[in-house]
Amino acid sequence: MSQLGAAPETVAVDVAPDPVIELREVTREYRVGDDIVVRALRRVSLRIERGDYVAIMGSSGSGKSTLMHIVGCLDSPTSGRYLLDGADVHDIHEDDLADLRNRKIGFVFQAFNLVPRTSALANVELPLTYAGLQRADRRRRALAALDAVGMGDRIHHQPSKLSGGQQQRVAVARAIVTNPSIILADEPTGNLDSHSTHEVLDVFARLNDAGRTVVMITHEEDVAERAARVIRLGDGEILSDVRT
């Protein structure tokens, strides 16, 4: 029996962190012609917490690219709800959604998508130019982003003068220069040799260690093994969701 006035016993309670990405029974259908409906996603529910590192795998037609497009606010569900950092994207005006996407999400693609005959520095500055930042601020932030991916000594090189791995690291620098909390990478190592793949995955690991959420589509098992969590899709459904 406790004495009068003694402090109450403290009980630890586990509270699940709020997800930065949450899909609730999301379905995405596409109409082909007048009579055919293709269901790319089928009532998918998924939570990704802030700071997670997730690899999404699946064969062609499994729904992984559709899932990535919805998570990146590049497409909308036919039914179900998608919440980005707690906000239901269905309720956000298109202009505001574009602003939200640009602030919170950095995209990395298999084909690099760098502007040819333009320096690495200018490529990384590009999103900041669209955002209206002054030249001095653009340069400072672009240099910091290039340093973060180990490309500080290649700032004046054009893409044609860089290896595939170096081009992809410039693309990653461009993705993080706006300081997004989420990195979405679609087959980021698909065009790289094994050495360049290792270098790019090291960059993703450092970004994740710094607190960024990384979601990566890949068909390569050794690449997926670098993630903390592997989700496998098939026929528009989640087949497995495993912590590595």
Side-chain angles (χ1 to χ4, degrees), residues 4-200:
L4 185 63
E9 182 180 1
T10 300
V11 179
V13 178
D14 291 331
V15 179
D18 292 332
V20 67
I21 293 169
E22 183 175 12
L23 281 72
R24 300 179 181 175
E25 297 194 339
V26 164
T27 294
R28 183 63 171 103
E29 297 176 343
Y30 299 97
R31 185 169 295 277
V32 181
D34 295 330
D35 303 321
I36 301 175
V37 174
V38 176
R39 185 170 292 180
L41 293 178
R42 304 167 182 263
R43 298 172 67 90
V44 169
S45 294
L46 173 65
R47 290 168 57 100
I48 297 177
E49 279 73 37
R50 195 177 313 278
D52 210 347
Y53 187 171
V54 181
I56 298 175
M57 302 193 72
S59 60
S60 178
S62 63
K64 60 184 186 297
S65 292
T66 300
L67 177 61
M68 182 69 83
H69 289 160
I70 288 176
V71 169
C73 300
L74 301 172
D75 196 5
S76 301
T78 303
S79 63
R81 299 177 64 194
Y82 170 40
L83 285 73
L84 176 59
D85 214 5
D88 191 330
V89 299
H90 183 269
D91 299 330
I92 302 175
H93 186 274
E94 185 175 347
D95 290 342
D96 294 332
L97 184 59
D99 179 64
L100 180 70
R101 179 174 62 239
N102 292 338
R103 286 188 292 105
K104 290 188 175 292
I105 302 174
F107 294 91
V108 180
F109 301 100
Q110 179 177 347
F112 316 144
N113 293 348
L114 299 177
V115 180
R117 295 185 297 280
T118 302
S119 70
L121 181 61
N123 266 282
V124 176
E125 284 184 346
L126 198 56
L128 304 178
T129 303
Y130 293 147
L133 268 69
Q134 296 297 315
R135 181 178 180 181
D137 289 337
R138 295 199 308 265
R139 173 151 298 206
R140 174 179 55 79
R141 292 177 60 168
L143 288 171
L146 285 163
D147 279 339
V149 300
M151 290 296 291
D153 60 344
R154 296 288 191 275
I155 64 173
H156 297 302
H157 287 61
Q158 296 180 5
S160 62
K161 303 299 183 182
L162 300 173
S163 69
Q166 289 171 334
Q167 289 184 62
Q168 191 61 293
R169 282 190 279 160
V170 172
V172 173
R174 183 183 57 192
I176 66 173
V177 74
T178 57
N179 198 30
S181 57
I182 303 168
I183 303 296
L184 298 186
D186 191 354
E187 297 282 5
T189 62
N191 289 337
L192 305 181
D193 59 31
S194 59
H195 177 72
S196 297
T197 291
H198 183 75
E199 289 181 337
V200 169

